[in-house]
């Protein structure tokens, strides 16, 4: 078996062989100064498109709770819901690294509980790494010992929304900048392979990226991180709310889908859909037989 290509990874739609993105590959990208592209995705169809577009890392984020399930924050999503969506993503993805968020409550009670839930995410859903929020150093050690690659997440950590009193940019004072840097170093030293930096000043993310041996992936952290991640629904305008400052909308899927659905409804209402060409027909022979039988019955 090849060590670089998973069985079944096969080739891209264009026919080129696919080399699977792995945690060591991300470390190598940092060494080579190659930017890492990352996006969230939560279902089969979207994940296929994201993977086929060449994104390096797909995160089944707990933002699932908000952008897919309609909750107000990320706190309510469960391990079972994360498993369900991670499985769908895993079935779609051939090249990107598939990472699953550990949901709120699944690792906050104890290290043992965190490891048990992370094992489920890897074993039952096929995630290749898990992401955890905050400087949970003991848990990162334990997951690393359990052969589960870990992605840390510092700065604006949405699972801390109640403690933070809202979604606020973090690390704006000297003390909090130094604390964040210490936490970043501690996570890298305890075995985290990648660090997501969310909602922090550019200067802070730049310094941490330069100091850390592991790649940083920014969201609302400026352009100097080793990679960038956005929530898929933000990228294509499917979030039904004004975007945060750091979001760039690359397409208006809401407008596209709304217009397609309205057009369909109008066609149904005006008997324009389906047309005769979009209908199945009996063969001429069957039609003749039916006509004959009708005549004989008459
Ligand atoms: O859940 C999420 O979407 C995240 C981000 C880093 C985008 O954690």
């Amino acid at each position: 078996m090849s060590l670089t290509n998973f069985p079944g990874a096969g080739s891209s739609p264009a026919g080129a062989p696919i080399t699977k993105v792995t945690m060591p590959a991300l470390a190598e990208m940092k060494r080579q100064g190659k930017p890492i592209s990352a996006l969230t995705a939560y279902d089969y169809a979207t994940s296929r498109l994201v993977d086929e577009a060449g994104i390096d890392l797909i995160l089944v984020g707990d933002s699932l709770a908000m952008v897919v399930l309609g909750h107000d924050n990320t706190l309510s999503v469960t391990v079972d819901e994360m498993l369900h969506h991670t499985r769908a993503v895993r079935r779609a993805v051939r090249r990107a690294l598939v990472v699953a968020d550990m949901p709120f409550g699944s690792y906050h009670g104890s290290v043992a509980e965190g490891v048990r839930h992370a094992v489920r995410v890897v074993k039952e859903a096929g995630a290749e790494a898990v992401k955890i929020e905050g400087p949970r150093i003991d848990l990162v050690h334990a997951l690393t010992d359990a052969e589960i690659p870990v992605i840390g997440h510092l700065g604006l950590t949405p699972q801390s929304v109640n403690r933070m009193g809202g979604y606020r940019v973090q690390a704006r004072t000297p003390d909090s900048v130094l604390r964040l840097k210490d936490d970043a170093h501690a996570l890298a030293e305890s075995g985290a392979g990648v660090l997501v930096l969310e909602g922090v000043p550019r200067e802070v993310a730049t310094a941490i990226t330069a100091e850390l041996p592991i790649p940083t992936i920014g969201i609302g952290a400026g352009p100097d991180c080793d990679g960038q991640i956005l929530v898929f629904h933000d990228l294509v305008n499917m979030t039904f709310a004004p975007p945060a400052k750091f979001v760039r909308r690359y397409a208006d899927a809401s407008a596209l889908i709304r217009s397609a659905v309205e057009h369909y409804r109008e066609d149904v209402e005006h008997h324009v859909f389906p047309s005769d060409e979009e209908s199945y027909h009996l063969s001429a022979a069957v039609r003749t037989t039916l006509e004959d039988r009708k005549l004989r019955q008459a």
Side-chain angles (χ1 to χ4, degrees), residues 193-213:
V194 172
L195 177 64
V196 168
L197 288 171
E198 178 166 358
V200 298
R202 175 177 180 174
E203 296 76 10
V204 178
T206 306
I208 291 176
T209 301
E211 289 170 17
L212 284 197

Side-chain angles (χ1 to χ4, degrees), residues 40 42 59 61-63 101 131 153 196 198 219 229-231:
T40 67
Y42 318 91
L59 172 68
D62 60 356
S63 47
D101 250 338
K131 179 165 81 56
H153 183 164
V196 168
E198 178 166 358
I219 173 163
I229 186 164
L230 279 179
V231 168

Side-chain angles (χ1 to χ4, degrees), residues 45-59:
T46 312
S47 302
R48 267 201 78 153
L49 296 173
V50 169
D51 190 42
E52 289 174 13
I55 291 292
D56 300 313
L57 183 158
I58 296 182
L59 172 68

Side-chain angles (χ1 to χ4, degrees), residues 159-180:
Q159 291 176 8
S160 319
V161 60
N162 290 327
R163 177 178 54 74
M164 293 183 305
Y167 299 107
R168 299 179 202 294
V169 174
Q170 302 293 300
R172 301 189 102 148
T173 64
D175 280 352
S176 59
V177 170
L178 295 176
R179 207 173 320 122
L180 185 73

